[in-house]
């Protein structure tokens, strides 16, 4: 840097540790100029960082400006020991407090407007940038802490009078000298909005990587005396190594070489797999909706289509979204074997599990490799010797980062947060944009989630992404809504009415139109499952007991956890051994039960061990590959009944103790004129879960009228008959109207909550508020996280540390507390004071939690159990 002001720039700090590092060695701070160039280098080097309308020089210049707000006294005063005396004089005792991202926006938009003018050029037709259009870019790069910012004119007038205004202009000139960007040509609004969303996410991602001192060691002000030399000789090489360490290095997609390349075990493709192998795909982003039977190979078919889209240059990776953590964990295991086939053998793609408890999954935790190396070649060599899964601690530590991995598996919630006003939503959005979004079980949405899903498809299409939706049971109305949403994201006007009622069916939408393609069913999957009604719980218990006596693998799917527990206790009193699986177990127990259930009742479950009874909630109805000889289920909406029936005699077996294809449904009789208590009289818990009794009445009537579920022949007719909202008997009209009203209200709430793509990354696009939690799923009754604990020798232990000896050491208790969690409805918890003599032990236990967990007492509760003889007594903190 030349000149007095340029020299002074080196004394502004960007990252600081005034106590030094490594026992006091190393600089106390990292110069702001160095940090800005570090982050710009990462942005330039990141694979897939191309932004519409920008070359790499323009991109580097823009991203480097992200922290210009740190020049202000408000920021520099945060570490008085690092105050830049050379530039700002003696450190004052106090300064006017302000956020540096807000100040950065003001410096770019109103203080340095003239200095930045050469960055903007005109279009070929002479169209020039308006101040409001430039502001889109300033919002994108200045608001790099997760949400948009706004600022008042008074603060701008104040900044113009401070020395930092002069320094900011000199910093802009310095960056022009380093990057030498040509003017950015004016672009139309559609391209500008896409650029803003992309640039906002890229800036955050680059700042995350560029802020790690491990990867970008602190340097002294002398190091940036030649700022250009620092950028070319230090920042860029370190950025390349850091990106590799983060698990985001460049990978090459393998050419599509047929289904056998991805799945060598598939000798004869199913019809839907063969269709995806040979179908002509649109030239640009496309949506595929695959509706087919359970066991038809939909997931493999979707992988084939995804690989073809990737091989044709439409995507760099894949994200698979599933309805629950249990189904995501199961899919992670499947993809761990197959995902490398999507890429060239020389590549080292990362595979990440993205949900709130991902690191509690043993296989994923074991796959997370250290990220503290800096040599890109060493990182590649290390990964070449690893097992089949590659990931890094940096990616795996947070679900939002995990979406950046080349291949991700997670819950649908992680994808939906990309279109909600939550912090770092743009990172999720960008993580998905470069990938094929594969959504399994996409029918399982209430009105709130359906609106979120439509918004996600609009965003994904607008960002140039393709999507594949899988379902065994999708109504025509839902399919139409999702196709329309994707087309809107492509900028296409009007709806193309869907009309094909064939099943199985593939619907394909792209820039060239919409096609509905009938598909043949998989040979051997055509089934006719008899339906028999059971009138009360006693009849269901008798059915389960009789099947258990014959040595059958039996499942009873109940609609509430309380009903699961009650049924299991009643069966146990009759001397019947029962396994129980629901979502209200502590995580350590739930993961263990999930493994046991899959081992016993899964595809590879040994015949000798299959005999037994499983009473479960809805956790087993989707995506878990389970197989039972006898299936009983509480009445539920038609699509869920069909899903549950898919767990009956799912796999070919040499012999079964009970040789009949029949699903038994615990249901009231669907009489022609049901009274208001028709459902609640037999299934009170179900009436509380599924609030529209008319939907369940139509389901029961359609099933009993047909007498069977013919797959694939009757699936579409059953779904549409049960879903007809106009068919409501008078006795159920009031409750059905209330449910419809709540559904409309939930849809309206979702439309208010989701981001407005066309408005861009600005505060006005949604209600951004860090104090307001915007949920991916609506809960009529709020839930809280309860951490279970046990008292041992006067000390409060995490429940998981008692259950798993590997977690007994105090250094493992952070993980043990997470594994001891269970989510429960707040209204079910009674106020329970801390027992006398335990207050100090409880306080000591909570001291080991993170500060956020300690302070969020309304969301993290501690329930302390005393070990007794055959029982537990409890008291806790509410």
């Amino acid at each position: 840097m030349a000149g007095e002001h340029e020299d002074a720039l080196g004394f502004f700090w960007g990252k600081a540790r005034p106590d030094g590092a490594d026992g006091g060695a190393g600089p106390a701070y990292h110069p702001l100029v160095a940090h800005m160039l570090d982050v710009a280098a990462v942005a330039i080097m990141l694979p897939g960082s191309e932004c519409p309308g920008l070359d790499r020089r323009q991109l580097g210049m823009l991203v480097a400006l992200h922290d210009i707000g740190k020049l202000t006294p408000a920021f520099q005063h945060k570490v008085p020991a690092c105050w830049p005396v050379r530039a700002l004089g003696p450190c004052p005792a106090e300064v006017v407090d302000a956020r540096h991202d807000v100040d950065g926006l003001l410096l770019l938009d109103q203080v340095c407007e003239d200095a930045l003018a050469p960055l903007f050029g005109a279009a070929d037709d002479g169209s020039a940038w308006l101040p409001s259009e430039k502001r889109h870019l300033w919002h994108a790069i200045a608001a790099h802490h997760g949400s948009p910012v706004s600022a008042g004119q008074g603060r701008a007038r104040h900044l113009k009078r401070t020395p930092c205004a002069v320094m900011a202009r000199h910093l802009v000139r310095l960056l022009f000298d380093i990057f030498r960007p040509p003017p950015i040509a004016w672009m139309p609004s559609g391209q500008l909005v896409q650029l803003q969303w992309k640039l906002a996410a890229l800036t955050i991602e680059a700042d995350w990587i560029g802020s790690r001192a491990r990867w970008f060691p602190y340097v002294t002000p002398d190091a940036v005396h030649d700022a250009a030399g620092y950028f070319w000789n230090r920042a860029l090489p370190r950025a390349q190594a850091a990106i590799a360490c983060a698990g985001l290095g460049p990978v090459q997609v393998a050419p599509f070489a047929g289904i056998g390349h991805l799945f060598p075990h598939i000798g004869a493709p199913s019809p839907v797999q063969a269709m995806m192998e040979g179908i002509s795909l649109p030239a640009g982003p496309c949506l595929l909706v695959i509706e087919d039977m359970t066991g038809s190979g939909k997931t493999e078919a979707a992988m084939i289509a995804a690989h073809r889209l990737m091989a044709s240059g439409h995507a760099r990776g894949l994200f698979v979204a599933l309805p629950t953590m249990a189904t995501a964990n199961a899919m992670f295991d499947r993809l761990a074997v197959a995902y490398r086939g999507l890429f060239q053998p020389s590549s080292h793609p990362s595979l990440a599990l993205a949900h709130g408890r991902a690191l509690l999954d043993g296989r994923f935790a074991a796959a997370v490799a250290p990220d503290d190396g800096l040599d890109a070649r060493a990182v590649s060599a290390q990964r070449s010797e690893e097992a089949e899964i590659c990931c890094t601690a940096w990616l795996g530590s947070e679900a939002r980062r995990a979406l950046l991995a080349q291949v991700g598996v997670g819950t649908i919630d992680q994808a939906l947060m990309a279109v909600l006003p939550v912090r770092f939503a743009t990172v999720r959005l960008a993580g998905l944009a470069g990938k094929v979004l594969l959504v399994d079980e996409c029918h399982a949405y209430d009105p709130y989630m359906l609106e979120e899903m439509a918004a996600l498809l609009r965003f994904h299409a607008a960002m140039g992404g393709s999507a594949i939706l899988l379902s065994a049971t999708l109504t025509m109305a839902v399919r139409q809504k999702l196709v329309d949403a994707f087309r809107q994201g492509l900028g296409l006007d009007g709806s193309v009415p869907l009309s094909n009622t064939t099943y199985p069916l593939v619907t394909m939408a792209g820039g060239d139109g919409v096609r509905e393609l009938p598909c043949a069913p998989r040979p051997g999957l055509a089934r006719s499952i008899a339906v028999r009604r059971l009138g009360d719980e006693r009849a269901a218990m008798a059915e389960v007991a009789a099947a258990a006596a014959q040595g059958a693998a039996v499942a009873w799917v109940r609609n509430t956890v309380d009903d699961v527990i009650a049924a299991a206790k009643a069966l146990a009193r009759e001397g019947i051994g029962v396994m129980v699986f629901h979502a209200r177990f502590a995580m350590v127990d739930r993961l263990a039960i999930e493994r046991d259930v899959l081992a016993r009742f899964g595809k590879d479950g040994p015949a000798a061990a299959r005999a037994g009874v499983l009473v479960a909630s809805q956790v087993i109805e989707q995506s878990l590959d389970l197989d039972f000889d006898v299936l009983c289920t509480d009445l539920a909406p038609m699509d869920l009944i069909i899903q549950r029936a898919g767990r009956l005699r799912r796999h070919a077996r040499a012999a079964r103790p009970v040789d009949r294809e029949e699903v038994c449904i615990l249901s009231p009789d669907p009489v022609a004129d049901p009274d208001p208590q028709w459902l609640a009289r037999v299934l009170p818990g179900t009436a509380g879960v599924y609030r529209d009794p008319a939907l369940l009445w139509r389901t029961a009537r359609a099933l009993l009228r047909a007498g069977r579920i013919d797959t694939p022949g009757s699936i579409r007719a059953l779904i549409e008959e049960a879903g007809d909202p106009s068919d409501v008997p008078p006795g159920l009209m009031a409750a059905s109207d209330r449910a419809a009203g709540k559904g409309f209200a939930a849809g309206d709430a979702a439309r208010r909550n989701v981001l407005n793509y066309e408005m861009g990354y600005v505060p006005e696009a949604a209600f951004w508020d860090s104090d307001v939690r915007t949920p991916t799923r609506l809960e009529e009754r709020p839930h809280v996280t309860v951490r279970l604990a046990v008292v041992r020798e006067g000390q409060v232990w995490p429940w998981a540390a008692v259950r798993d000896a590997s977690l007994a050491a105090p250094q493992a208790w952070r993980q043990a507390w997470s594994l001891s969690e269970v989510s429960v409805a707040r209204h079910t918890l009674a106020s329970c004071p801390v027992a006398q003599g335990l207050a100090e032990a409880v306080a000591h236990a909570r001291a080991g939690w993170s500060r956020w967990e300690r302070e969020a007492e309304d969301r993290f509760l501690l329930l302390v159990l005393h070990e007794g003889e055959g029982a537990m007594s409890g008291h806790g903190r509410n």
Side-chain angles (χ1 to χ4, degrees):
M1 293 186 291
E4 179 183 350
H5 288 102
E6 286 79 359
D7 284 341
L9 280 173
F11 293 94
F12 284 82
W13 64 272
K15 297 289 177 180
R17 48 181 179 214
D19 295 331
D22 300 326
Y29 69 86
H30 195 47
L32 175 59
V33 171
H35 171 66
M36 295 169 76
L37 294 176
D38 293 340
V39 174
V42 173
I44 290 172
M45 298 297 292
L46 270 170
S49 63
E50 298 82 6
C51 289
L54 300 182
D55 67 15
R56 292 196 178 274
R57 294 167 293 175
Q58 297 161 337
L59 175 64
M61 174 80 180
L62 286 171
V63 173
L65 289 165
H66 78 287
D67 259 348
I68 194 171
K70 288 184 175 180
L71 286 170
T72 61
F75 180 83
Q76 293 296 311
H77 196 266
K78 292 181 183 297
V79 183
C82 299
W83 176 266
V85 177
R86 291 270 303 269
L88 301 179
C91 181
E94 293 182 357
V95 297
V96 177
D97 190 29
R99 289 175 45 170
H100 75 271
D101 50 359
V102 174
D103 282 348
L105 176 63
L106 291 172
L107 288 173
L108 293 169
D109 186 40
Q110 300 188 42
V111 177
C112 298
E113 186 176 8
D114 292 341
L116 288 164
L119 188 58
F120 297 93
D124 292 339
D125 63 0
S127 299
W129 288 83
L130 298 174
S132 59
E133 293 169 334
K134 297 178 184 179
R135 198 168 296 126
H136 271 69
L137 301 186
W138 304 145
H139 271 289
I141 61 174
H144 58 279
H145 285 285
S147 58
V149 296
S150 57
Q153 293 296 320
R155 180 67 181 168
R157 288 192 293 270
H158 168 75
L159 289 176
K160 289 178 180 178
R161 296 193 297 267
T162 63
C164 70
V166 176
M167 301 304 300
R169 297 187 188 98
H170 282 288
L171 179 57
V172 168
R173 284 195 288 270
L174 172 66
L175 296 178
F176 268 114
D177 289 341
I178 295 171
F179 293 100
R180 302 189 181 277
I184 303 171
W186 179 88
M187 57 188 70
S189 61
Q191 185 179 356
L192 178 58
V193 170
Q194 185 189 44
L195 171 60
Q196 186 189 30
W197 287 110
K198 172 82 180 200
L199 190 58
L202 177 62
T203 304
I204 294 171
E205 183 181 356
D207 187 46
W208 281 351
I209 297 173
S211 295
R212 298 203 66 171
R214 223 180 246 183
W215 297 341
F216 293 88
Y218 286 14
V219 298
T220 63
D222 291 342
V224 291
H225 184 75
D226 176 9
Y230 175 86
F231 176 73
W232 291 104
N233 300 323
R234 295 202 193 187
L236 283 174
R238 288 199 172 277
Q240 183 180 20
I243 290 167
C245 291
L248 301 176
V251 295
Q252 289 185 300
V253 175
F256 180 71
I259 188 172
H261 174 72
L262 280 181
F263 306 105
H265 64 281
I266 297 180
S270 70
V272 71
Q273 291 166 355
M275 177 182 282
M276 291 301 101
E277 193 173 26
I279 194 173
S280 176
L281 297 173
C286 74
L287 170 69
L288 289 166
V289 183
I290 301 176
E291 299 174 88
D292 206 344
M293 297 175 286
T294 298
S296 63
K298 293 190 298 292
T299 301
E300 291 80 4
M303 289 287 290
I304 293 165
H307 191 189
R308 291 186 59 198
L309 289 166
M310 292 166 61
S312 62
H314 293 319
R316 300 183 308 278
L318 172 70
F319 185 80
V320 185
L322 296 114
T324 66
M325 287 191 291
T327 55
N329 293 344
M331 181 61 72
F332 180 81
D333 283 344
R334 294 174 68 182
L335 273 184
V337 178
Y339 86 109
R340 285 185 179 274
L342 299 169
F343 302 92
Q344 293 280 22
S346 58
S347 294
H348 301 287
S350 50
L351 170 64
L353 183 60
H355 59 65
R357 296 291 179 265
L359 285 174
L360 303 183
D361 182 274
R363 183 159 189 178
F364 179 58
V368 175
D371 62 6
D372 55 356
L374 275 176
D375 189 301
R377 290 171 296 179
V379 170
S380 296
Q382 172 192 342
R383 289 188 178 162
S384 67
E385 297 173 0
E386 288 173 2
E388 70 272 20
I389 308 172
C390 282
C391 193
T392 69
W394 188 85
L395 275 178
S397 61
E398 295 181 11
R400 61 193 179 198
R401 289 182 188 164
L403 268 68
L404 300 172
Q406 280 88 13
V407 179
V409 182
T411 58
I412 185 62
D413 306 80
Q414 295 300 326
L416 293 177
M417 278 193 279
V419 294
L420 293 177
V422 297
R423 286 193 74 197
F424 306 113
T426 53
V427 176
R428 288 185 169 91
L429 187 64
L432 294 173
K435 298 180 177 66
V436 177
L437 173 62
L438 198 169
V439 182
D440 200 3
E441 310 289 0
C442 72
H443 61 277
Y445 301 145
D446 58 24
Y448 183 86
M449 290 185 71
L450 183 59
E451 288 295 337
E452 290 178 304
M453 188 67 218
L456 177 61
L457 290 175
R458 284 194 296 272
F459 263 84
H460 195 57
M463 297 288 283
S466 294
I468 304 172
L469 312 181
L470 306 182
S471 178
T473 49
L474 202 62
T475 65
M476 178 76 77
V478 170
R479 179 162 58 105
Q480 183 76 63
K481 183 179 184 70
L482 298 179
V483 169
D484 288 349
F486 191 84
R487 284 173 46 81
Q488 290 166 10
L490 294 179
L492 302 173
D493 295 328
S495 174
V496 176
L498 304 178
S499 58
N500 200 313
T501 58
T502 306
Y503 184 88
L505 183 70
V506 173
T507 305
M508 183 164 59
D512 58 354
V514 178
R515 287 187 282 166
E516 296 174 278
L517 307 169
C519 180
R522 185 171 196 162
L525 280 189
R527 303 173 65 187
S528 183
I529 302 174
V531 174
R532 178 157 57 94
R533 186 179 74 87
L534 305 175
D536 55 36
E537 289 186 350
R538 289 192 301 274
M541 285 184 59
E543 193 70 32
V544 170
Q550 298 178 67
V554 188
W556 184 2
V557 186
R558 310 230 58 188
N559 292 330
T560 73
V561 174
D562 289 342
D563 285 341
V564 170
I565 295 170
K569 288 181 177 179
L571 288 167
R573 286 194 295 268
E574 298 296 323
I576 299 172
V578 178
M579 291 183 69
V580 176
F581 188 23
H582 55 68
R584 208 186 291 167
F585 283 105
M587 188 59 63
V588 64
D589 296 320
R590 179 172 173 174
L591 292 173
I593 294 169
E594 179 185 319
R595 289 192 295 269
D596 291 345
V597 168
L598 285 168
R600 185 170 182 179
F601 301 113
K603 184 175 183 179
D604 299 323
R610 282 174 45 77
V613 176
L614 175 68
V615 183
S617 66
Q618 298 94 325
V619 293
I620 71 166
E621 73 190 11
Q622 296 172 355
S623 297
L624 292 181
D625 192 9
L626 301 175
D627 174 12
F628 299 95
D629 304 318
V630 173
L631 182 73
C632 295
T633 174
D634 293 354
L635 179 63
M638 182 67 78
D639 58 339
L640 302 184
I641 292 289
I642 293 173
Q643 288 290 323
R644 295 174 189 184
R647 274 64 195 157
L648 175 69
R649 299 168 65 93
R650 185 180 178 92
H651 302 129
R653 296 187 183 275
R656 292 181 184 268
V658 177
D659 190 20
R660 64 177 182 272
E661 294 211 24
E662 180 184 64
V663 59
C664 298
I665 301 178
L666 173 54
S667 167
D669 186 7
V671 296
D673 188 19
D675 65 83
Q677 295 302 308
W678 171 80
L679 180 61
R681 189 178 299 111
V682 177
L683 291 168
T686 296
V689 173
Y690 304 111
R691 296 304 180 93
D692 185 359
L695 171 62
L696 273 67
W697 175 81
R698 291 191 298 267
T699 296
R701 185 187 63 176
L703 287 170
L704 296 176
R705 180 185 292 170
R708 59 188 57 254
I709 300 171
D710 288 326
T711 307
S714 68
I715 295 295
R716 187 77 74 187
L718 289 173
I719 290 291
E720 296 300 334
E721 180 179 350
D724 180 7
S726 65
D727 187 2
V728 181
L732 304 182
M733 184 70 73
S736 184
D737 286 347
R738 286 194 298 271
K742 288 184 177 180
F744 287 130
D748 286 341
R751 285 187 287 273
R752 290 193 303 271
N753 283 346
V754 297
L755 299 175
N756 186 319
Y757 175 83
E758 288 75 17
M759 290 185 70
Y761 185 61
V762 294
E764 296 77 17
F767 183 64
W768 299 84
D769 191 327
S770 59
D771 294 328
V772 177
R773 178 173 173 261
T774 306
T776 56
R777 309 185 191 215
L778 278 187
E779 297 176 341
E780 289 192 11
R781 293 173 172 174
H783 281 61
V784 294
T785 298
V786 174
R787 286 182 161 175
L788 302 181
V790 171
V791 176
R792 280 196 166 179
E793 299 177 354
Q795 187 177 11
V796 174
W797 282 47
W799 171 256
V802 176
R803 301 285 286 173
D804 185 345
S806 68
L807 300 171
Q811 58 266 31
W813 278 17
R814 177 65 65 87
Q815 182 183 12
W817 280 120
S818 295
L819 285 166
S820 302
E821 293 177 357
V822 58
S823 178
V824 298
R826 178 179 287 278
H827 78 279
T828 64
L829 296 173
S831 180
C832 192
V834 178
Q836 186 175 4
L838 269 186
E840 185 177 345
V842 166
H844 180 73
R846 292 177 64 91
W849 299 2
S850 70
R851 189 179 74 173
W852 179 77
E853 293 165 344
R854 292 195 305 271
E855 293 176 352
E857 292 193 37
D858 60 329
R859 293 177 60 188
F860 283 88
L861 306 183
L862 181 64
L863 179 62
V864 183
L865 306 170
H866 274 294
E867 290 179 286
E869 295 183 1
M872 289 280 189
S873 60
H875 45 260
R877 184 167 183 168
N878 195 319

